[in-house]
Amino acid sequence: MINLILFGPPGSGKGTQSIRIAKKFGLNHLSTGDIFREEIEKESVIGKKVKKYIEEGQLVPDELVIDVLFYQMHQYEKPLGFIFDGFPRTVTQAEILRKRLAKEKLSITTFISLEVEDYNLIQRIVKRGKYSGRVDDNQVTILERLKVYKENTLPLKDFYKDHYKFTAIDGAKKIEEVFEDISAILQILVNEERVNLFK
Ligand code: AMP
């Protein structure tokens, strides 16, 4: 099983790349942001709880995030693996994920960080806001999201550098080029996994 964390600031292309990578490698794409947006759309109990945090560019409390993520993970029977997109975003979430996977004798296979400069992120998000319809894709909220990212999420890089295989990728390149870079890393892992399976 391949479990990939696709890491990076808002606007770094995690969602776009996750969709493509999931398709190519037969993995299940788990985006906590997407799950929350669907819940808000449905006006569900969870949707109502998370709406304000998302509108303000703040993090949804860990317990809520964990609940929806694990619920979603268990919807898949015999998954080949997962791509975690936008999760974990705090060290607490990362610890809980590690313990949860360990219970099932699983772990994170690799952690890929998409690196993009702030000015580029802001430009991308403002542009995306014109068609995404996302309430948080605007110039004011993006600044808050970047601040929250730096304070709460960036420290995760060290957490993962110490524990797992870590690769930083230039996320400012063209979508196709970033896709090829991520694919190359995953292909190596898939090959290793096959070897292990035949041992
Ligand atoms: P995203 O689509 O990943 O940019 O997420 C949009 C928003 O959903 C974030 O700005 C947070 O408010 C919330 N969110 C998504 N994932 C998480 C998470 N793992 N922890 C806390 N909040 C999250």
Side-chain angles (χ1 to χ4, degrees):
M1 195 167 168
I2 303 269
N3 291 311
L4 159 71
I5 294 181
L6 199 52
F7 185 80
S12 58
K14 301 186 298 291
T16 307
Q17 296 296 340
S18 294
I19 293 168
R20 292 172 152 229
I21 294 289
K23 200 169 166 202
K24 176 164 178 174
F25 291 93
L27 304 174
N28 298 112
H29 174 205
L30 291 174
S31 156
T32 38
D34 283 352
I35 299 172
F36 290 144
R37 280 184 288 277
E38 276 166 31
E39 295 300 323
I40 292 173
E41 186 77 32
K42 285 193 281 188
E43 298 184 359
S44 69
V45 176
I46 291 173
K48 286 185 183 139
K49 282 189 190 164
V50 302
K51 193 166 185 266
K52 204 166 178 314
Y53 297 103
I54 294 184
E55 280 172 358
E56 290 173 2
Q58 299 301 326
L59 292 184
V60 169
D62 288 336
E63 319 80 66
L64 256 176
V65 183
I66 298 286
D67 280 354
V68 297
L69 181 89
F70 289 153
Y71 175 79
Q72 193 72 23
M73 276 175 82
H74 285 99
Q75 299 305 303
Y76 300 102
E77 270 180 41
K78 299 191 179 157
L80 290 178
F82 292 103
I83 303 180
F84 297 95
D85 157 14
F87 178 92
R89 260 175 157 101
T90 62
V91 174
T92 306
Q93 291 177 17
E95 285 285 9
I96 295 174
L97 177 65
R98 187 179 61 79
K99 285 186 194 145
R100 183 61 170 250
L101 290 174
K103 260 194 198 165
E104 297 170 37
K105 303 223 177 331
L106 296 170
S107 71
I108 293 301
T109 322
T110 194
F111 177 93
I112 299 178
S113 170
L114 297 179
E115 315 268 319
V116 184
E117 297 290 342
D118 282 5
Y119 71 92
N120 201 340
L121 296 170
I122 296 167
Q123 273 184 340
R124 282 185 185 188
I125 292 191
V126 170
K127 200 168 152 197
R128 184 173 76 183
K130 293 194 178 121
Y131 59 87
S132 71
R134 279 179 57 165
V135 285
D136 55 349
D137 277 351
N138 61 70
Q139 204 142 8
V140 177
T141 315
I142 179 57
L143 294 179
E144 189 56 31
R145 286 163 69 197
L146 283 175
K147 187 167 158 260
V148 166
Y149 171 79
K150 282 176 189 157
E151 281 172 15
N152 301 279
T153 309
L154 205 50
L156 275 179
K157 245 194 206 180
D158 288 328
F159 176 90
Y160 282 102
K161 264 185 193 158
D162 292 345
H163 289 78
Y164 304 96
K165 287 182 190 166
F166 172 94
T167 319
I169 282 186
D170 179 4
K173 291 202 277 187
K174 293 201 182 94
I175 291 178
E176 201 52 44
E177 290 171 335
V178 177
F179 175 63
E180 278 167 20
D181 289 348
I182 301 174
S183 294
I185 296 168
L186 278 193
Q187 194 57 56
I188 294 169
L189 293 171
V190 168
N191 295 344
E192 281 174 6
E193 185 106 329
R194 271 207 197 114
V195 171
N196 289 340
L197 286 177
F198 288 113
K199 256 185 194 169

